[in-house]
Amino acid sequence: DAGITQSPRYKITETGRQVTLMCHQTWSHSYMFWYRQDLGHGLRLIYYSAAADITDKGEVPDGYVVSRSKTENFPLTLESATRSQTSVYFCASSEDRVKENEQFFGPGTRLTVL
Amino acid sequence: GENVEQHPSTLSVQEGDSAVIKCTYSDSASNYFPWYKQELGKRPQLIIDIRSNVGEKKDQRIAVTLNKTAKHFSLHITETQPEDSAVYFCAASRGGFNTDKLIFGTGTRLQVFP
């Protein structure tokens, strides 16, 4: 579990501000994912990436931007934060999506948008 | 797209009793069904998974069953212990390169009372 980290762990921001959540993994996993967790909704996929420079939308991508210039990093940016984006954000990685391998989750970032 | 429904949302059992959590999925092409456990304030972790070519899988006190015809799968925990208290998420995906997304259910909060 120490192989995937997220920063910051807690963030408070204001409506309209840009926020970037960082995710870093040391396993050289091909696949990386961003989820948001809200009460009553479980874990919802925001974006995922199959490899460096390859990203794709998940269930709830609106208002978010991702990039993956290096295999180990997968930052998530909220370009103009809204109150509805208050949530706990989890990053995850997996070795090989084709084999449907286990996804390993980071510790999460609790984001509050005032 | 895929939709995963999970029931019940909360479940309370006495220590030593069994617990069953049920999920249904909508996409008949789904072929991979993992279960994740999330303890309070922690990250989700995989506890067991099953593929569509298998009807049942066991790992000590936990088991998962799959009924492809009815499109539902269940998690069974026997001889429950207080440390089993957590939120459990089911998920479904099609598998395969770049064709699927892991869709989660809304979670079941299991409380095991001593």
Side-chain angles (χ1 to χ4, degrees):
Chain A
D1 286 353
I4 181 164
T5 57
Q6 293 182 236
S7 62
R9 295 294 312 281
Y10 303 90
K11 177 73 177 178
I12 299 174
T13 190
E14 294 178 339
T15 302
R17 290 190 180 260
Q18 183 179 77
V19 177
T20 295
L21 309 184
M22 304 301 293
C23 178
H24 176 77
Q25 52 103 356
T26 59
W27 295 306
S28 298
H29 283 174
S30 299
Y31 282 84
M32 296 187 75
F33 311 86
W34 274 107
Y35 295 91
R36 61 176 291 173
Q37 184 173 33
D38 305 287
L39 198 62
H41 291 280
L43 292 154
R44 291 183 291 176
L45 183 64
I46 304 171
Y47 269 96
Y48 66 106
S49 170
D53 297 322
I54 300 175
T55 63
D56 205 352
K57 295 179 180 179
E59 300 170 80
V60 289
D62 293 345
Y64 303 95
V65 175
V66 293
S67 62
R68 192 155 178 219
S69 57
K70 293 184 178 181
T71 300
E72 61 266 31
N73 297 324
F74 191 38
L76 176 74
T77 297
L78 290 67
E79 292 192 304
S80 179
T82 65
R83 288 197 181 91
S84 64
Q85 292 177 309
T86 292
S87 185
V88 178
Y89 290 85
F90 284 99
C91 177
S93 70
S94 68
E95 184 174 348
D96 186 337
R97 199 79 165 111
V98 174
K99 296 179 181 177
E100 304 148 351
N101 278 354
E102 175 179 358
Q103 289 190 21
F104 294 88
F105 284 79
T109 294
R110 184 175 294 276
L111 175 68
T112 301
V113 183
L114 301 176
Chain B
E2 174 71 281
N3 182 50
V4 177
E5 294 190 358
Q6 184 171 348
H7 299 281
S9 56
T10 60
L11 179 60
S12 296
V13 300
Q14 205 74 30
E15 182 178 0
D17 287 350
S18 295
V20 180
I21 303 169
K22 298 181 179 181
C23 290
T24 60
Y25 60 97
S26 60
D27 188 350
S28 56
S30 291
N31 57 18
Y32 176 62
F33 309 93
W35 286 87
Y36 283 78
K37 175 184 179 182
Q38 185 179 27
E39 297 176 357
L40 188 63
K42 300 290 182 63
R43 70 192 79 187
Q45 291 187 299
L46 180 73
I47 55 171
I48 195 167
D49 57 15
I50 191 168
R51 288 167 172 74
S52 59
N53 59 343
V54 175
E56 182 176 0
K57 184 176 179 181
K58 277 188 175 181
D59 184 2
Q60 299 183 332
R61 294 187 298 107
I62 61 172
V64 57
T65 59
L66 172 65
N67 183 327
K68 284 189 65 180
T69 303
K71 289 191 284 188
H72 69 69
F73 56 112
S74 300
L75 178 71
H76 304 254
I77 306 174
T78 59
E79 300 173 23
T80 54
Q81 300 168 5
E83 52 264 38
D84 294 328
S85 296
V87 178
Y88 292 81
F89 293 97
C90 62
S93 80
R94 288 185 173 191
F97 180 76
N98 222 19
T99 63
D100 69 311
K101 299 164 185 138
L102 196 57
I103 304 300
F104 284 86
T106 52
T108 295
R109 181 174 299 280
L110 173 64
Q111 290 182 298
V112 180
F113 293 99

